[in-house]
Amino acid sequence: MTSVLMFHHVLGVTDGVRWFADELRAAGHEVTIADLWEGATFPSIQEGVAHAQEVGFGNVIDRGVQMAADLPVGAVVMGFSLGALPAQKVAQTLPGVRGAVLLYSALPSAEFGGPWPADVAVQIHIAEQDENLEPGELDGAKALADEAADGVIFLYPGTAHLIAEKGFADFDPDSAALILSRTKEFLARVG
């Protein structure tokens, strides 16, 4: 059993986020969802991004770091899109974190003071043609996976962003099943 702290995407703690957490719980893991939006949810990525801009991306990351302050040694952090930012920062800066699963986003380690810690495994999942990625973001994610001593990036077909968000228009059942399977294998291995 692995202790997992999960950070949601800009839509908030949706049924899709809960579904993913429940799938990991069914595999025997202890999953806590960190609610960066304090209960608010948004029906579209655009509305969620507008809220994130209002809050401030730096503040979102700081909230996530505060929520991770009491993580047990050996925990894994996980982040979906926007949630990958605090997850990545926690993985890079909080001693005792064992791994990170980053979905739909990852940045070069220099963004959070780099380098990536040698004892922290990382697994990244991104749609290869994701239209929501910033220019250079995919290259940064690949560089992070290459830098990590135990790092891998999985690329999925298509242009959609939230491909494992069950109930959302971007949902791709085949990609979601692969992401879940690979995440479960990762948690079993590093936990």
Side-chain angles (χ1 to χ4, degrees):
M1 188 229 19
T2 303
S3 179
V4 179
L5 180 62
M6 181 182 286
F7 295 100
H8 60 78
H9 42 59
V10 295
L11 303 181
V13 181
T14 60
D15 289 342
V17 169
R18 286 188 205 88
W19 168 77
F20 203 102
D22 287 344
E23 290 292 315
L24 298 181
R25 289 180 185 119
H29 304 291
E30 180 183 300
V31 181
T32 301
I33 301 171
D35 188 353
L36 300 164
W37 290 166
E38 300 172 334
T41 58
F42 300 93
S44 72
I45 291 173
Q46 295 77 14
E47 290 172 83
V49 168
H51 180 70
Q53 289 170 333
E54 184 179 307
V55 171
F57 289 101
N59 291 331
V60 171
I61 294 167
D62 290 345
R63 282 182 186 179
V65 170
Q66 290 170 2
M67 292 174 170
D70 295 324
L71 270 181
V73 171
V76 171
V77 290
M78 182 173 187
F80 296 86
S81 191
L82 172 77
L85 299 176
Q88 184 174 337
K89 181 163 185 182
V90 167
Q92 283 190 228
T93 61
L94 186 66
V97 172
R98 179 66 188 103
V101 179
L102 308 174
L103 284 85
Y104 324 132
S105 183
L107 300 174
S109 66
E111 293 290 328
F112 298 112
W116 187 262
D119 61 343
V120 178
V122 64
Q123 186 180 82
I124 303 167
H125 303 271
I126 296 178
E128 196 164 19
Q129 303 296 320
D130 186 337
E131 295 174 340
N132 285 294
L133 294 180
E134 296 293 325
E137 190 172 353
L138 182 56
D139 290 337
K142 288 176 180 178
L144 179 63
D146 288 344
E147 177 186 347
D150 183 357
V152 63
I153 184 168
F154 294 107
L155 300 176
Y156 300 86
T159 60
H161 188 58
L162 304 178
I163 56 177
E165 173 69 10
K166 192 171 186 178
F168 191 68
D170 287 0
F171 183 68
D172 177 334
D174 294 334
S175 293
L178 269 176
I179 291 169
L180 266 170
S181 173
R182 290 168 170 165
T183 299
K184 289 174 185 177
E185 289 170 10
F186 180 84
L187 295 176
R189 182 174 61 80
V190 304

